[in-house]
Structures are given as structure tokens and as C-alpha cells.
Amino acid sequence: MSKTQQQQILEHLRKRSITQVEAFSKYGITRLPSAIFKLRAVGHKIDMRMADVKVGGVDRRLARYTLTREAK
């Protein structure tokens, strides 16, 4: 049985933060905000901060998501 996108993202967030670029390159997830929305809907507290990230040698400003509290 394969893991859902939400399961993959939650496991990642338990260890470190994630951006859209990381979600796509590691898990093939193209809609990270949708997965974050669903995780928040079940009670996970996930913060978002804008971060400057180098993508393909170009500086980009991306959302970086961090798990601050898991749902009970």
C-alpha cells in the first residue's frame, strides 16, 4: 500500500521543513499547499514562512512549511 501525499509530507515535516521544490523533487508532489491544507484541516499546526531559495541557479522566494504541533 502506497502512502498518501499527506502521509509523505507529515513524515517529512516531523524531521524538517519543506518547500514546494523539495516536495516535487523528493515525492513528485505538485500541489504542496493542498496537502498542507488537508493536514491543517485534521488539526496539525503548520507554520509558513517565505524563504529565499536558489532554484536552478536562480534566487526564488518560496513558502517553507514547518510542523509546530501534531494533531492529537
Side-chain angles (χ1 to χ4, degrees), residues 22-71:
E22 293 165 335
F24 180 72
S25 66
K26 292 181 183 198
Y27 309 107
I29 295 172
T30 57
R31 298 187 62 218
L32 178 61
S34 177
I36 296 294
F37 178 84
K38 290 174 183 176
L39 288 169
R40 286 174 171 159
V42 296
H44 297 290
K45 175 123 172 59
I46 301 171
D47 289 342
M48 187 273 297
R49 297 210 193 284
M50 297 306 290
D52 295 319
V53 178
K54 199 168 280 286
V55 179
V58 178
D59 288 328
R60 301 279 184 206
R61 192 153 175 81
L62 300 174
R64 178 168 292 282
Y65 297 95
T66 305
L67 179 66
T68 57
R69 183 176 40 89
E70 285 197 54

